[in-house]
Amino acid sequence: MADEPVSTGKPLARVDGPLKVTGGAKYAAEYEVPDLLHGVIVPSSIAKGKITGFDTEEAMAFPGVIKIFTHQNRPWGPHFSLFFKDPMGPPGRPFRPLHNERVHFSGQPVALVVADTFEAARDAAALVRVSYREEVHATDLEKEAVSAYEPPRHRIGVPPTPKPTGDAGTAMAAAPVKVEATYRTSPENHHPMELFATTVHWGADNTITVYDKTQSPKSVQIYLKTAFLFFRRHVRVLSPYVGGAFGLGLRPQQSVFLAVLAAKALKRSVRIVIPRDQMYTLGYRAHAIQTVALGADEFGLLQALKQDAIAATSRNEDAQDPMLYFSGLLYRCENVSLSYKLAKLDTVSPCDMRGPGATTGMFALESAMDELSYATGQDPLALRYANYTSDDQMEHRRMSSKALMDCYAQGAEKFGWSLRIPAPRSMRDGRELIGWGMATGIWDAALSPLPARATVTLTADNCLEVATSVTDIGTGTYTILTQLAADAMQLPVDRVTTRLGDSSLPYNPTQGGSWTAATAGSAVQAACDKLKKKLLKHSTGRDTFNPGVVPRHQFVDLLKAAGKSSMKATATITQLSAGRGFTSATHSAVFAEVRIDEELGVIRVTRIVSAIAAGRILNPLTAQSQIRGASVMAIGKALHEDAAYDHNLGRCMAHSFADYHIPSNADIFDLDVIFVDEKDEEVSPIGAKGLGEIGSVAVAPAIANAVFHATGHRVRELPITIDRLLPGLPRTGGH
């Protein structure tokens, strides 16, 4: 309706930035509440078995200790596991802290010490003695893979592995060129900057206010009401600021359950912060073993594609992610066979982590495509051009939009791909070998499968308030919703205030899956349209309204004519693509340069160019930040992160950043981001596809492919550490 947009599509700085850098933004462990107690978890020292007893005498005598909770004295709760299910949980029985004497994984909470100070609770927790009857545990995926099984029930919200098409076995046998290899990825832990924490304010007026680190205040609210039978108690969950979550906050975590348990029992406010060395007990990206077989003609045209994956899960739940969902979507091939199985381990349940499934599955597929390019003598980029498909061949549907070819072209030009010398070990600079690799990425693009609501309120002083319960986990949600509302109502950005992360606000689904911008943004736009209709009717008496026919200056007059009373509108947006006969996805082409010290095997990723097709880009500044952050995480997956287990103990040994390596500033060089022009009027009402996941999907395989180009040695296991690279690295100069 305006002559041109006010701010959407422009690089607006984060509206919540000043609060964050000045300390005004409060996180879950920073809220001051009266009468506050502190809880510290006592973790199990075994991986599997039964608790036979506790010795808490010395701990209880420690000054300041109020109570020690175990399964023997915890408050009564529902018996059936159904009461503890959360909306994002996989099939199976969810873990219930302090439920009984069973120990399911190393580090499991077996006791909770509550004291009047954190220091007292921490020191007393070290004095709790627990005796066990230990049982034989299994944490080695390589050994348990022989017992892998197809999950009997699919996880809600996660697309199932596509059914076979054609006859992959026969086509593979007849193919002139065959590539087959097995790829492994190590487990990864979540280590966001903000630790998981919960502060519970126990109100005297039958209310409970929970400040929690979560990606869904509404989900936590529902979980607490059922798990603690709070049906008659008002429960409010707030998480207005989240210091990174990346999937670990999709489900209610141990801190919120135990803090509320203690608060309910003691009728006091309680805070629990999960320390860094216990973060590995909350969830992890499942490690996997994948075998990929590609059959092609002598020019590299695919004739058969087979990909079989075995991923880890826990004893209690069938944790699942879309590891192979995208494998049949990228390339033209009539004969595709995909198999996804799980192997049970004595660990906590795996959980989503940025680009869940796709980052693991694409590493195997895109590495195999790179191997095929060498087997057929094709340039890796040319091979992907040759096998391009414009449709969803697995579901026989068209794509709502697909600008992947533009990603290839613009990314290659920016990177300088035409200057690449094809032969491995052919590019060097002094003692460093130089490698260039590339890979394709894909991720789902859709609205949330659950309805989303938003409310907009125009105040008497012509300011606008936007309200919805969705969180901002650092992705820029505050900013883009503010921009969309400002545009819709023709107001300056500084006259719009956005409220998020509060279960008392209109329902909006979990922040995750790269659907938040499209889902919450569409709900906000719809609410603004309803408000504009109210304004028009209030000012002119007309019932009909076409937002495209009111000039900007006339709409400003309508705002002024609204009077001194406030006006409100609420709208609900639902999934539009279901049953529409098309598939929507974001795409990427990632080009990576590595430099490797030939003698030491030290790898540096000196350049990454990510060309992204993600529909309408609402804010280039926050969007670029999303892709760069995802690239850094993917560099960690490719070269650093390994939640290594001691299988004798059944315990993750990466308890700190000294053991669990993540990229540092010195590991990050040039990260260039290109957003190709892609218009999609079907994927969402605002044309946005989402950016959270697509930035990471193709980075690790691009790096792995660059490592091969530099060295001539194919490492098929992530992370590519020095010990995995050196044995296959030819030496020169007499070394």
mmCIF file of all heavy atoms in Angstrom, residues 488-517:
data_model
loop_
_atom_site.group_PDB
_atom_site.id
_atom_site.type_symbol
_atom_site.label_atom_id
_atom_site.label_comp_id
_atom_site.label_asym_id
_atom_site.label_seq_id
_atom_site.Cartn_x
_atom_site.Cartn_y
_atom_site.Cartn_z
ATOM 1 N N ALA A 488 3.668 -2.757 7.355
ATOM 2 C CA ALA A 488 2.230 -2.972 7.177
ATOM 3 C C ALA A 488 1.417 -1.777 7.653
ATOM 4 O O ALA A 488 0.403 -1.420 7.040
ATOM 5 C CB ALA A 488 1.799 -4.234 7.916
ATOM 6 N N MET A 489 1.869 -1.152 8.744
ATOM 7 C CA MET A 489 1.102 -0.047 9.324
ATOM 8 C C MET A 489 1.657 1.322 8.950
ATOM 9 O O MET A 489 1.178 2.332 9.444
ATOM 10 C CB MET A 489 1.058 -0.197 10.850
ATOM 11 C CG MET A 489 0.447 -1.497 11.339
ATOM 12 S SD MET A 489 -1.225 -1.775 10.737
ATOM 13 C CE MET A 489 -2.107 -0.429 11.504
ATOM 14 N N GLN A 490 2.677 1.349 8.080
ATOM 15 C CA GLN A 490 3.265 2.607 7.621
ATOM 16 C C GLN A 490 3.717 3.474 8.791
ATOM 17 O O GLN A 490 3.456 4.679 8.857
ATOM 18 C CB GLN A 490 2.267 3.364 6.737
ATOM 19 C CG GLN A 490 1.902 2.634 5.460
ATOM 20 C CD GLN A 490 3.103 2.363 4.570
ATOM 21 O OE1 GLN A 490 4.123 3.031 4.696
ATOM 22 N NE2 GLN A 490 3.002 1.375 3.707
ATOM 23 N N LEU A 491 4.437 2.833 9.719
ATOM 24 C CA LEU A 491 4.981 3.534 10.874
ATOM 25 C C LEU A 491 6.502 3.445 10.854
ATOM 26 O O LEU A 491 7.067 2.472 10.352
ATOM 27 C CB LEU A 491 4.464 2.906 12.173
ATOM 28 C CG LEU A 491 2.988 3.107 12.511
ATOM 29 C CD1 LEU A 491 2.601 2.204 13.674
ATOM 30 C CD2 LEU A 491 2.707 4.567 12.845
ATOM 31 N N PRO A 492 7.182 4.417 11.433
ATOM 32 C CA PRO A 492 8.627 4.282 11.599
ATOM 33 C C PRO A 492 8.933 3.107 12.531
ATOM 34 O O PRO A 492 8.142 2.781 13.429
ATOM 35 C CB PRO A 492 9.042 5.612 12.241
ATOM 36 C CG PRO A 492 7.921 6.555 11.960
ATOM 37 C CD PRO A 492 6.680 5.717 11.912
ATOM 38 N N VAL A 493 10.060 2.482 12.322
ATOM 39 C CA VAL A 493 10.426 1.320 13.128
ATOM 40 C C VAL A 493 10.472 1.653 14.614
ATOM 41 O O VAL A 493 10.097 0.826 15.465
ATOM 42 C CB VAL A 493 11.786 0.750 12.651
ATOM 43 C CG1 VAL A 493 12.323 -0.277 13.633
ATOM 44 C CG2 VAL A 493 11.656 0.136 11.272
ATOM 45 N N ASP A 494 10.901 2.860 14.952
ATOM 46 C CA ASP A 494 11.031 3.198 16.374
ATOM 47 C C ASP A 494 9.687 3.413 17.062
ATOM 48 O O ASP A 494 9.639 3.654 18.265
ATOM 49 C CB ASP A 494 11.934 4.419 16.567
ATOM 50 C CG ASP A 494 11.420 5.667 15.847
ATOM 51 O OD1 ASP A 494 10.291 5.634 15.308
ATOM 52 O OD2 ASP A 494 12.150 6.679 15.835
ATOM 53 N N ARG A 495 8.586 3.324 16.321
ATOM 54 C CA ARG A 495 7.261 3.416 16.930
ATOM 55 C C ARG A 495 6.602 2.043 17.075
ATOM 56 O O ARG A 495 5.428 1.944 17.430
ATOM 57 C CB ARG A 495 6.364 4.348 16.123
ATOM 58 C CG ARG A 495 6.857 5.796 16.080
ATOM 59 C CD ARG A 495 5.857 6.700 15.402
ATOM 60 N NE ARG A 495 4.687 6.941 16.237
ATOM 61 C CZ ARG A 495 4.620 7.877 17.179
ATOM 62 N NH1 ARG A 495 5.662 8.650 17.432
ATOM 63 N NH2 ARG A 495 3.517 8.055 17.872
ATOM 64 N N VAL A 496 7.376 0.996 16.813
ATOM 65 C CA VAL A 496 6.878 -0.370 16.934
ATOM 66 C C VAL A 496 7.657 -1.092 18.032
ATOM 67 O O VAL A 496 8.891 -1.072 18.052
ATOM 68 C CB VAL A 496 7.019 -1.141 15.612
ATOM 69 C CG1 VAL A 496 6.510 -2.580 15.767
ATOM 70 C CG2 VAL A 496 6.251 -0.434 14.497
ATOM 71 N N THR A 497 6.937 -1.719 18.931
ATOM 72 C CA THR A 497 7.541 -2.523 19.999
ATOM 73 C C THR A 497 7.062 -3.957 19.851
ATOM 74 O O THR A 497 5.857 -4.200 19.679
ATOM 75 C CB THR A 497 7.139 -1.990 21.391
ATOM 76 O OG1 THR A 497 7.564 -0.638 21.519
ATOM 77 C CG2 THR A 497 7.787 -2.833 22.490
ATOM 78 N N THR A 498 7.992 -4.890 19.917
ATOM 79 C CA THR A 498 7.648 -6.305 19.775
ATOM 80 C C THR A 498 7.898 -7.043 21.078
ATOM 81 O O THR A 498 8.979 -6.935 21.665
ATOM 82 C CB THR A 498 8.472 -6.941 18.637
ATOM 83 O OG1 THR A 498 8.175 -6.263 17.413
ATOM 84 C CG2 THR A 498 8.147 -8.415 18.492
ATOM 85 N N ARG A 499 6.886 -7.788 21.523
ATOM 86 C CA ARG A 499 6.993 -8.611 22.743
ATOM 87 C C ARG A 499 6.990 -10.081 22.340
ATOM 88 O O ARG A 499 6.116 -10.536 21.595
ATOM 89 C CB ARG A 499 5.830 -8.330 23.694
ATOM 90 C CG ARG A 499 5.810 -6.927 24.278
ATOM 91 C CD ARG A 499 4.554 -6.723 25.099
ATOM 92 N NE ARG A 499 4.465 -7.716 26.163
ATOM 93 C CZ ARG A 499 3.309 -8.158 26.678
ATOM 94 N NH1 ARG A 499 2.157 -7.720 26.196
ATOM 95 N NH2 ARG A 499 3.316 -9.041 27.644
ATOM 96 N N LEU A 500 7.965 -10.829 22.852
ATOM 97 C CA LEU A 500 8.117 -12.241 22.508
ATOM 98 C C LEU A 500 8.433 -13.058 23.756
ATOM 99 O O LEU A 500 8.691 -12.521 24.832
ATOM 100 C CB LEU A 500 9.265 -12.423 21.495
ATOM 101 C CG LEU A 500 9.209 -11.674 20.165
ATOM 102 C CD1 LEU A 500 10.489 -11.915 19.376
ATOM 103 C CD2 LEU A 500 7.999 -12.100 19.362
ATOM 104 N N GLY A 501 8.437 -14.384 23.587
ATOM 105 C CA GLY A 501 8.946 -15.278 24.613
ATOM 106 C C GLY A 501 8.160 -15.298 25.897
ATOM 107 O O GLY A 501 8.747 -15.329 26.987
ATOM 108 N N ASP A 502 6.853 -15.336 25.810
ATOM 109 C CA ASP A 502 6.002 -15.298 27.001
ATOM 110 C C ASP A 502 4.773 -16.166 26.710
ATOM 111 O O ASP A 502 4.039 -15.925 25.749
ATOM 112 C CB ASP A 502 5.590 -13.857 27.287
ATOM 113 C CG ASP A 502 4.818 -13.693 28.590
ATOM 114 O OD1 ASP A 502 4.267 -14.687 29.087
ATOM 115 O OD2 ASP A 502 4.758 -12.558 29.100
ATOM 116 N N SER A 503 4.557 -17.173 27.557
ATOM 117 C CA SER A 503 3.441 -18.092 27.314
ATOM 118 C C SER A 503 2.087 -17.428 27.455
ATOM 119 O O SER A 503 1.073 -17.986 27.019
ATOM 120 C CB SER A 503 3.527 -19.291 28.271
ATOM 121 O OG SER A 503 3.354 -18.874 29.617
ATOM 122 N N SER A 504 2.033 -16.248 28.058
ATOM 123 C CA SER A 504 0.760 -15.548 28.193
ATOM 124 C C SER A 504 0.378 -14.806 26.917
ATOM 125 O O SER A 504 -0.743 -14.310 26.801
ATOM 126 C CB SER A 504 0.821 -14.557 29.362
ATOM 127 O OG SER A 504 1.713 -13.492 29.082
ATOM 128 N N LEU A 505 1.294 -14.741 25.961
ATOM 129 C CA LEU A 505 1.023 -14.067 24.696
ATOM 130 C C LEU A 505 0.374 -15.047 23.719
ATOM 131 O O LEU A 505 0.364 -16.254 23.953
ATOM 132 C CB LEU A 505 2.330 -13.514 24.119
ATOM 133 C CG LEU A 505 3.056 -12.481 24.990
ATOM 134 C CD1 LEU A 505 4.356 -12.039 24.325
ATOM 135 C CD2 LEU A 505 2.164 -11.278 25.280
ATOM 136 N N PRO A 506 -0.172 -14.569 22.615
ATOM 137 C CA PRO A 506 -0.840 -15.462 21.657
ATOM 138 C C PRO A 506 0.068 -16.599 21.208
ATOM 139 O O PRO A 506 1.264 -16.408 20.969
ATOM 140 C CB PRO A 506 -1.184 -14.523 20.499
ATOM 141 C CG PRO A 506 -1.303 -13.179 21.135
ATOM 142 C CD PRO A 506 -0.283 -13.145 22.225
ATOM 143 N N TYR A 507 -0.521 -17.765 21.059
ATOM 144 C CA TYR A 507 0.245 -18.977 20.753
ATOM 145 C C TYR A 507 0.991 -18.875 19.426
ATOM 146 O O TYR A 507 0.435 -18.514 18.395
ATOM 147 C CB TYR A 507 -0.675 -20.197 20.702
ATOM 148 C CG TYR A 507 0.057 -21.462 20.308
ATOM 149 C CD1 TYR A 507 0.793 -22.165 21.254
ATOM 150 C CD2 TYR A 507 0.042 -21.921 18.993
ATOM 151 C CE1 TYR A 507 1.487 -23.313 20.893
ATOM 152 C CE2 TYR A 507 0.729 -23.058 18.632
ATOM 153 C CZ TYR A 507 1.456 -23.754 19.585
ATOM 154 O OH TYR A 507 2.154 -24.876 19.223
ATOM 155 N N ASN A 508 2.277 -19.214 19.481
ATOM 156 C CA ASN A 508 3.088 -19.345 18.276
ATOM 157 C C ASN A 508 3.969 -20.554 18.471
ATOM 158 O O ASN A 508 4.520 -20.753 19.554
ATOM 159 C CB ASN A 508 3.940 -18.096 18.055
ATOM 160 C CG ASN A 508 4.194 -17.845 16.578
ATOM 161 O OD1 ASN A 508 4.917 -18.591 15.945
ATOM 162 N ND2 ASN A 508 3.588 -16.795 16.033
ATOM 163 N N PRO A 509 4.115 -21.396 17.472
ATOM 164 C CA PRO A 509 4.836 -22.659 17.664
ATOM 165 C C PRO A 509 6.303 -22.461 18.023
ATOM 166 O O PRO A 509 6.837 -21.350 18.020
ATOM 167 C CB PRO A 509 4.693 -23.346 16.299
ATOM 168 C CG PRO A 509 3.522 -22.702 15.658
ATOM 169 C CD PRO A 509 3.531 -21.288 16.129
ATOM 170 N N THR A 510 6.930 -23.576 18.290
ATOM 171 C CA THR A 510 8.327 -23.604 18.679
ATOM 172 C C THR A 510 9.203 -22.867 17.672
ATOM 173 O O THR A 510 9.023 -22.959 16.469
ATOM 174 C CB THR A 510 8.796 -25.067 18.776
ATOM 175 O OG1 THR A 510 8.026 -25.722 19.778
ATOM 176 C CG2 THR A 510 10.259 -25.159 19.135
ATOM 177 N N GLN A 511 10.182 -22.114 18.206
ATOM 178 C CA GLN A 511 11.189 -21.473 17.361
ATOM 179 C C GLN A 511 12.166 -22.549 16.900
ATOM 180 O O GLN A 511 12.971 -23.056 17.666
ATOM 181 C CB GLN A 511 11.927 -20.398 18.170
ATOM 182 C CG GLN A 511 13.244 -19.922 17.615
ATOM 183 C CD GLN A 511 13.116 -18.864 16.552
ATOM 184 O OE1 GLN A 511 12.993 -19.181 15.387
ATOM 185 N NE2 GLN A 511 13.152 -17.605 16.943
ATOM 186 N N GLY A 512 12.062 -22.931 15.653
ATOM 187 C CA GLY A 512 12.930 -23.983 15.140
ATOM 188 C C GLY A 512 12.487 -24.390 13.751
ATOM 189 O O GLY A 512 11.451 -23.962 13.243
ATOM 190 N N GLY A 513 13.296 -25.230 13.104
ATOM 191 C CA GLY A 513 12.943 -25.756 11.798
ATOM 192 C C GLY A 513 13.030 -24.753 10.668
ATOM 193 O O GLY A 513 12.572 -25.021 9.556
ATOM 194 N N SER A 514 13.599 -23.570 10.925
ATOM 195 C CA SER A 514 13.671 -22.494 9.926
ATOM 196 C C SER A 514 12.297 -22.028 9.479
ATOM 197 O O SER A 514 12.151 -21.477 8.388
ATOM 198 C CB SER A 514 14.489 -22.940 8.700
ATOM 199 O OG SER A 514 15.838 -23.114 9.029
ATOM 200 N N TRP A 515 11.276 -22.224 10.323
ATOM 201 C CA TRP A 515 9.936 -21.799 9.903
ATOM 202 C C TRP A 515 9.453 -20.548 10.647
ATOM 203 O O TRP A 515 8.378 -20.031 10.366
ATOM 204 C CB TRP A 515 8.919 -22.920 10.079
ATOM 205 C CG TRP A 515 8.698 -23.415 11.486
ATOM 206 C CD1 TRP A 515 8.509 -22.686 12.615
ATOM 207 C CD2 TRP A 515 8.618 -24.785 11.901
ATOM 208 N NE1 TRP A 515 8.309 -23.491 13.710
ATOM 209 C CE2 TRP A 515 8.377 -24.791 13.298
ATOM 210 C CE3 TRP A 515 8.719 -26.002 11.232
ATOM 211 C CZ2 TRP A 515 8.248 -25.972 14.034
ATOM 212 C CZ3 TRP A 515 8.591 -27.163 11.967
ATOM 213 C CH2 TRP A 515 8.358 -27.165 13.345
ATOM 214 N N THR A 516 10.240 -20.032 11.587
ATOM 215 C CA THR A 516 9.744 -18.962 12.451
ATOM 216 C C THR A 516 9.507 -17.670 11.689
ATOM 217 O O THR A 516 8.484 -17.005 11.866
ATOM 218 C CB THR A 516 10.713 -18.729 13.619
ATOM 219 O OG1 THR A 516 10.776 -19.915 14.406
ATOM 220 C CG2 THR A 516 10.241 -17.578 14.493
ATOM 221 N N ALA A 517 10.454 -17.275 10.844
ATOM 222 C CA ALA A 517 10.283 -16.017 10.111
ATOM 223 C C ALA A 517 9.022 -16.062 9.257
ATOM 224 O O ALA A 517 8.221 -15.121 9.263
ATOM 225 C CB ALA A 517 11.506 -15.751 9.246
#
